[in-house]
Amino acid sequence: MKKLVLLSLAATVITGSAFAASVPVTKISDNSTKIQADYAFNQRVSNSGGTNNDGFGVGINTAISDKTALQYSYGKVNAKHGDIKDHRAGVTYALNNNVNAYAEGTYIKAGSHEVGAQVGLIGHTQLTNKVEGFAKAGFGDDVKQSYQLGAKYALTPDVNVNAYYGYDKYSVDS
């Protein structure tokens, strides 16, 4: 079983109560594993007092068939009044060549902790030979809404650089 490892570096601009979020799963190919690292800058955390929060994230996704992938990601925001940590685990299913559906659970720690679930859609299309565009929209219980719009640029067949704008809104008691 041959596995392809993809390292994705992300340059991220995120607003809202947001985190260094993982790039959504777009193309699913059987027996592949992808690893990514994200850095986020200029994040706004509503109870943090400012927009100069930075953060980072890491993630892994692995295809379990030619239409289904599992994904785990961890993100951390270095907020002014305490770090915010976000763990997400989910499954993505390819509905067709350009649309995926996903469901995920989220565990957020910001002083206290909150758990939630989210479902949504991911659209993606090849814009040029080396650039793939994507958009993601998701809705849930404690994770009220999540949006991403971005692009993946293929440096090599196995390495991408990603840039995206993301918005995540959480309901965290503390």
Side-chain angles (χ1 to χ4, degrees), residues 51-78:
T51 60
N52 295 324
N53 301 295
D54 68 344
F56 69 91
V58 293
I60 185 168
N61 68 61
T62 188
I64 57 174
S65 76
D66 62 343
K67 290 193 170 278
T68 307
L70 301 176
Q71 184 175 37
Y72 168 78
S73 63
Y74 167 80
K76 178 183 170 195
V77 173
N78 300 315

Side-chain angles (χ1 to χ4, degrees), residues 41-132:
F41 54 91
N42 198 29
Q43 298 183 98
R44 185 177 68 81
V45 178
S46 62
N47 290 334
S48 176
T51 60
N52 295 324
N53 301 295
D54 68 344
F56 69 91
V58 293
I60 185 168
N61 68 61
T62 188
I64 57 174
S65 76
D66 62 343
K67 290 193 170 278
T68 307
L70 301 176
Q71 184 175 37
Y72 168 78
S73 63
Y74 167 80
K76 178 183 170 195
V77 173
N78 300 315
K80 185 176 181 179
H81 299 295
D83 294 342
I84 303 168
K85 299 172 184 172
D86 176 19
H87 298 267
R88 295 180 185 187
V91 62
T92 301
Y93 181 79
L95 298 173
N96 61 43
N97 289 338
N98 296 98
V99 179
N100 297 344
Y102 75 93
E104 67 183 14
T106 300
Y107 172 84
I108 301 168
K109 182 145 177 61
S112 64
H113 71 276
E114 297 285 332
V115 294
Q118 183 179 76
V119 296
L121 294 175
I122 303 162
H124 56 95
T125 190
Q126 205 65 38
L127 300 173
T128 70
N129 187 25
K130 292 190 170 210
V131 178
E132 178 187 27

